[in-house]
């Protein structure tokens, strides 16, 4: 084996974007993920959670919520106030519709995927019809004061539960009226601070599950307006929750980076009475867990630390193998570094600019494993900023180091690089 030198690159200051929301495909084949910079990624479960598609972000498009509807159509909504459909073949935002209620905090599709409900800043819940080629506004439901931070459909599509600050309400979809309004702090004496309902779910048997800023997961009988169970899972906020298809398991994400699972278990072995029991917490994240998903065979969580963690449910796996391995997706799956070997140059890709560096060099020799001192330090040659709000999708530097190119969703740019004694110059081609 020949001798070679390894250059340890420590000057790529990449800060990965955190995970903002997740959406599991109803048939369990795909997982959609949105990051804080607006990037949308699609993972394929059938191919061992391979990152199948990446839609680059946009400065004017934030994504607060994702959902699948009408089969394989993916929709996103955010604080810009638009509902965007993504073209998964062209990897771009296909079309957008104004929600009409200010920033959109939450969005959910009904069981058949034919309707979308959005929760807006002005306190309104709006229904949109999913039609071929886009979506159409259908009607407004009962509007109340306070932004709608989360919402969920009943499995029968007859009711929608919407969570806000200090309360949540159940809305009859047919009449559009609020049939129940429940204060989440009515049983707490002298509550000194507001309680934010960050996540909510409506089970088929009529139970509402809420996760709030007090770190509680509460179970409500919405018809009676009473609290059935309350579990304090964290000393800080409970930010997200996801319910299994059989409604016997719930995954909760918290602001401490821990995730908790609650399971519906019989009080006595073989008895008919069941209660929700909190199981062991899992600390896979270092920051807020803003998004969780519950697939038939795994618990999925995404945090602001940019990690996507997939923990398989061992009791659901038939045999041991690759499906039983804990997966942590920490680093980007796309190539963000390009190398010009002949010119000893490295091109680093960020969301809206590129950096071109020249590698350092040494004249020393040593034994295997020794760290050699540099006689020439790495040099930052040039920073190339992208014009417009679109994020850079891919980039490359030629092997000779004289050409740099990058692409966004709508355009391609090519530059000629000249290095001389006075410095480095770029000329757009």
């Amino acid at each position: 084996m020949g001798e070679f030198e390894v250059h340890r690159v420590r000057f790529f200051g990449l800060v990965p974007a955190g995970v903002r929301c997740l959406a599991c495909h109803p048939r369990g084949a795909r997982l959609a993920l949105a990051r804080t910079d607006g990037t949308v990624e699609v993972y394929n479960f059938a191919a061992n959670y391979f990152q199948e598609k990446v839609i680059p972000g946009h400065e004017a498009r934030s994504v607060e919520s994702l959902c699948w509807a009408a089969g394989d159509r993916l929709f996103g909504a955010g604080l810009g106030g638009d509902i965007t459909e993504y073209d998964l073949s062209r990897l771009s935002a296909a079309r957008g519709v104004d929600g009409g209620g200010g920033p959109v905090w939450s969005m959910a599709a009904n069981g058949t995927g034919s309707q979308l409900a959005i929760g807006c800043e002005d306190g309104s819940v709006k229904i949109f019809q999913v039609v071929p080629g886009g979506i159409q506004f259908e009607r407004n439901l009962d509007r109340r004061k306070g932004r709608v931070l989360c919402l969920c459909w009943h499995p029968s599509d007859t009711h929608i539960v919407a969570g806000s600050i200090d309360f949540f309400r159940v809305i009859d979809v047919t009449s559009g009226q609020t049939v129940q309004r429940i204060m989440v702090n009515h049983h707490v004496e002298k509550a000194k601070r507001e309680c934010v309902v960050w996540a909510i779910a409506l089970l088929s048997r009529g139970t509402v599950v809420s996760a709030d800023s007090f770190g509680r997961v509460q179970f409500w009988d919405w018809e009676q307006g009473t609290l059935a169970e309350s579990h304090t899972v964290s000393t800080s906020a409970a930010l997200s929750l996801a319910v299994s298809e059989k409604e016997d398991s719930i995954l909760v994400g918290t602001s401490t980076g821990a995730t908790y699972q609650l399971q519906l278990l019989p009080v006595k072995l073989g008895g008919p009475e069941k209660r929700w029991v909190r199981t062991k917490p899992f600390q896979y994240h270092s920051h807020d867990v803003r998004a969780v998903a519950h697939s038939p065979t795994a618990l999925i969580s995404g945090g602001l630390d940019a990690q996507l963690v997939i923990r398989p449910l061992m009791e659901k796996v038939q045999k041991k193998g690759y499906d039983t391995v804990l997966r942590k997706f920490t680093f980007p799956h796309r190539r963000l570094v390009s190398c010009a070997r002949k010119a000893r140059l490295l091109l680093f890709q960020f969301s809206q600019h590129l950096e071109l560096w020249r590698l350092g060099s040494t004249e020393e020799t040593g034994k295997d494993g020794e760290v050699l001192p540099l006689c020439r330090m790495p040099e930052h040659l040039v920073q190339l900023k992208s014009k417009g709000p679109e994020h850079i999708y891919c980039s490359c530097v030629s092997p000779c180091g004289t050409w740099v190119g990058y692409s966004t969703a709508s355009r391609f740019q090519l530059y000629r690089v000249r290095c001389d004694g006075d410095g480095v110059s770029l000329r757009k081609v």
Side-chain angles (χ1 to χ4, degrees):
M1 187 174 182
E3 295 183 355
F4 58 91
E5 296 176 354
V6 176
H7 193 111
R8 294 178 179 174
V9 176
R10 301 177 184 271
F11 43 85
F12 185 20
L14 176 68
V15 179
V19 178
R20 181 60 191 88
C21 53
L22 297 171
C24 250
H25 195 279
R27 293 194 297 271
R30 285 174 167 179
L31 173 74
L33 175 152
R35 298 189 179 271
T36 52
D37 63 351
T39 303
V40 175
E41 304 170 4
V42 177
Y43 291 82
N44 194 323
F45 288 4
N48 293 327
Y49 298 92
F50 170 69
Q51 189 187 75
E52 182 182 347
K53 303 175 186 294
V54 176
I55 301 173
H58 195 283
E59 286 297 300
R61 185 175 64 237
S62 70
V63 184
E64 291 291 318
S65 183
L66 284 173
C67 68
W68 297 91
D72 294 331
R73 295 171 65 178
L74 180 63
F75 294 87
L79 302 184
D82 293 337
I83 306 172
T84 304
E85 182 175 0
Y86 295 99
D87 190 330
L88 298 182
S89 59
R90 296 177 179 269
L91 300 182
S92 62
R95 57 190 69 87
V97 175
D98 186 7
V104 179
W105 289 94
S106 53
M107 177 176 61
N110 64 350
T112 60
S114 60
Q115 290 179 314
L116 296 178
I118 63 170
C120 304
E121 174 76 18
D122 63 355
S124 63
V125 176
K126 302 175 184 294
I127 302 294
F128 285 81
Q129 192 78 21
V130 181
V131 297
I135 58 174
Q136 292 181 353
F137 173 74
E138 185 174 331
R139 59 198 175 99
N140 281 311
L141 303 184
D142 188 20
R143 175 181 170 185
R144 296 293 175 93
K145 185 178 180 180
R147 62 179 61 144
V148 181
L149 296 172
C150 53
L151 52 81
C152 181
W153 289 77
H154 190 272
S156 64
D157 298 340
T158 56
H159 293 82
I160 291 176
V161 59
S164 299
I165 298 176
D166 287 332
F167 71 93
F168 69 85
R169 54 197 174 103
V170 181
I171 307 172
D172 184 278
V173 177
T174 303
S175 64
Q177 298 300 312
T178 298
V179 295
Q180 186 66 270
R181 184 177 184 270
I182 298 177
M183 301 295 295
V184 293
N185 268 349
H186 76 280
H187 58 288
V188 179
E189 296 182 1
K190 298 181 180 180
K192 296 182 179 180
R193 57 189 176 97
E194 62 184 17
C195 180
V196 181
V197 181
W198 284 116
I200 205 159
L202 182 54
L203 306 184
S204 58
R205 53 184 173 272
T207 302
V208 175
V209 187
S210 64
D212 58 42
S213 57
F214 287 179
R216 302 172 304 190
V217 177
Q218 297 179 311
F219 297 83
W220 305 82
D221 184 339
W222 72 266
E223 292 184 346
Q224 303 295 329
T226 57
L227 177 65
E229 292 185 50
S230 181
H231 298 262
T232 301
V233 298
S234 176
T235 55
S236 55
L239 299 174
S240 53
L241 62 84
V243 184
S244 65
E245 186 178 0
K246 294 183 179 180
E247 297 184 353
D248 58 355
S249 174
I250 294 176
L251 179 63
V252 183
T254 66
S255 60
T256 60
T259 57
Y260 298 84
Q261 185 186 10
L262 283 80
Q263 292 181 286
L264 189 61
L265 301 175
V267 176
K268 294 182 179 180
L269 188 63
E273 185 182 359
K274 294 183 178 181
R275 290 183 64 88
W276 288 97
V277 179
R278 190 185 74 181
T279 60
K280 179 184 175 182
F282 298 91
Q283 188 78 42
Y284 296 128
H285 300 274
S286 59
H287 292 68
D288 296 4
V289 181
R290 298 296 301 271
V292 292
H294 204 310
S295 77
T297 59
L299 303 177
I300 307 168
S301 59
L304 292 185
D305 56 1
Q307 285 196 115
L308 174 66
V309 177
I310 300 173
R311 183 171 67 88
L313 294 170
M314 301 304 293
E315 65 271 16
K316 301 292 184 180
V317 180
Q318 299 296 330
K319 59 181 180 178
K320 291 185 178 181
Y322 190 76
D323 291 338
T324 62
V325 179
L326 175 72
R327 300 170 182 80
K328 289 185 180 181
F329 299 92
T330 306
F331 301 103
H333 283 206
R334 294 181 294 155
R335 190 181 71 170
L336 302 179
V337 180
S338 179
C339 177
R341 295 184 181 181
K342 295 180 180 179
R344 294 179 60 83
L345 299 179
L346 287 180
L347 182 69
F348 299 141
Q349 176 184 319
F350 296 85
S351 60
Q352 285 203 296
H353 73 274
L354 304 174
E355 290 184 1
L356 187 64
W357 287 72
R358 178 182 284 119
L359 285 175
S361 58
T362 183
E363 296 177 352
E364 303 290 334
T365 58
K367 299 179 181 180
D368 292 345
E370 287 186 355
V371 178
L372 305 179
L374 294 177
C375 63
R376 182 177 180 180
M377 299 300 294
E379 183 182 358
H380 184 194
L381 300 179
V382 68
Q383 183 182 89
L384 177 61
K385 293 184 178 180
S386 173
K387 295 181 179 179
E390 292 181 328
H391 288 185
I392 298 173
Y393 183 72
C394 56
S395 61
C396 190
V397 59
S398 63
C400 61
T402 57
W403 300 95
V404 170
Y406 73 89
S407 176
T408 65
S410 62
R411 70 184 194 279
F412 169 74
Q413 302 285 354
L414 181 63
Y415 290 85
R416 180 70 181 267
V417 182
R418 294 185 182 274
C419 299
D420 50 34
D422 298 332
V424 180
S425 62
L426 289 175
R427 182 173 64 86
K428 184 177 179 181
V429 178

